[in-house]
Amino acid sequence: MKPTLLLLAAGMGSRYGGLKQLDGLGPNGETIMDYSIYDAIKAGFGKIVFVIRKDFEQDFRDKVLCKYEGHVPVELCFQSLDALPEGFTCPEGRVKPWGTNHAVLMAKDVIREPFCVINCDDFYNRDAFMVIGKFLADLPEGSTNRYAMVGFRVGNTLSENGTVARGICSKDADENLTTVVERTEIMRVDGKVSYKDEQGAWVAVGDNTPVSMNMWGFTPDYFAHSEEYFKGFLADPANMANPKAEFFIPLMVNKLINEGTATVKVLDTTSKWFGVTYAADRQSVVDKIQSLVDEGVYPNKLW
């Protein structure tokens, strides 16, 4: 069974003007997610699912989905503040979405096969899709609780224009994930990749240290785990009282790892991530995509 690609796009607004997710960075106005979908098809993915906001469904169909007709089956699902389990209601005044794992949950009725979750505004590069696609395709039918994460080498994920935030990963002797620690300031200091610790000191790490770029591989049982844990998340008065509390994927993954329910294989990739973290990054991304086109990695016009 071919795996499915799930793109988290609910953070996109209905006004396209300044949104980096729909910024035309390729030679014919291609967006970063156009390249992700092209790479996913090359890597053997058989279906694309987008999580978006309901209020710009028609615009999204007209301006985005029409490009992929005839190339790959596409489905939409919708993230909203009131999409909560029975017995729970959205606190008054809450405007912030419930987070990335809540977005994943929105796809539970349309995904029945192993699937990969990605951000829509990160350029992951083809090797990453090949690596996660192979892992998911090779799973025995009916597999449960065997997940994966593409561990990008931290030295391949930096910006030349400032610090970046990354989840620095630890793994065991079997290449299974043990922890993900979010570090909000990472950059090269005196030539070495370093992060700022809780005391404000710079700590050097190796260039090949794996980091999470929110590229995960799951089987459909992940939805049931997430539904159950989300009820507990909402039942916590502190989370309901905090208008910024979010149900993130690493929160769910760490719980499943720590209680021994699931394993998460850390998959190495040679891919070099890039994205528009800062406005000054934009031209560099345009140049890198053009170089890949010039090298023949991508056609001049994708669709």
Side-chain angles (χ1 to χ4, degrees), residues 247-270:
F247 184 39
F248 291 118
I249 294 171
L251 187 69
M252 184 74 248
V253 167
N254 276 327
K255 173 182 166 59
L256 294 173
I257 291 172
N258 291 336
E259 66 189 20
T261 299
T263 58
V264 180
K265 191 70 68 178
V266 179
L267 307 175
D268 183 41
T269 181
T270 57

Side-chain angles (χ1 to χ4, degrees), residues 5-151:
L5 181 67
L6 176 60
L7 289 103
L8 305 185
M12 293 164 56
S14 55
R15 291 178 60 190
Y16 288 137
L19 283 170
K20 64 180 180 179
Q21 296 96 329
L22 289 166
D23 191 4
L25 301 169
N28 286 281
E30 291 88 354
T31 65
I32 283 178
M33 65 183 177
D34 285 334
Y35 287 98
S36 291
I37 291 168
Y38 185 88
D39 282 341
I41 293 170
K42 289 285 187 185
F45 284 77
K47 183 172 72 176
I48 308 298
V49 177
F50 287 95
V51 182
I52 66 169
R53 290 207 326 259
K54 181 71 176 174
D55 61 336
F56 65 100
E57 177 184 1
Q58 197 55 53
D59 265 355
F60 197 85
R61 288 187 184 279
D62 294 343
K63 298 178 182 178
V64 179
L65 296 197
C66 62
K67 288 187 282 191
Y68 312 128
E69 286 179 6
H71 296 284
V72 66
V74 179
E75 296 199 48
L76 285 181
C77 44
F78 307 100
Q79 184 180 23
S80 63
L81 287 172
D82 58 359
L84 300 176
E86 190 174 346
F88 295 94
T89 56
C90 184
E92 190 175 344
R94 169 109 191 182
V95 294
K96 192 172 183 63
W98 289 105
T100 51
N101 212 57
H102 179 252
V104 170
L105 262 176
M106 299 304 99
K108 65 184 175 66
D109 294 329
V110 298
I111 295 179
R112 296 281 182 270
E113 54 283 320
F115 64 101
C116 170
V117 180
I118 64 168
N119 297 330
C120 66
D121 55 355
D122 287 314
F123 198 108
Y124 292 101
N125 262 303
R126 189 169 305 153
D127 183 71
F129 287 97
M130 299 297 286
V131 164
I132 192 82
K134 184 178 188 309
F135 174 87
L136 295 171
D138 287 351
L139 286 173
E141 191 171 346
S143 291
T144 60
N145 301 321
R146 290 176 59 189
Y147 309 144
M149 185 206 80
V150 177

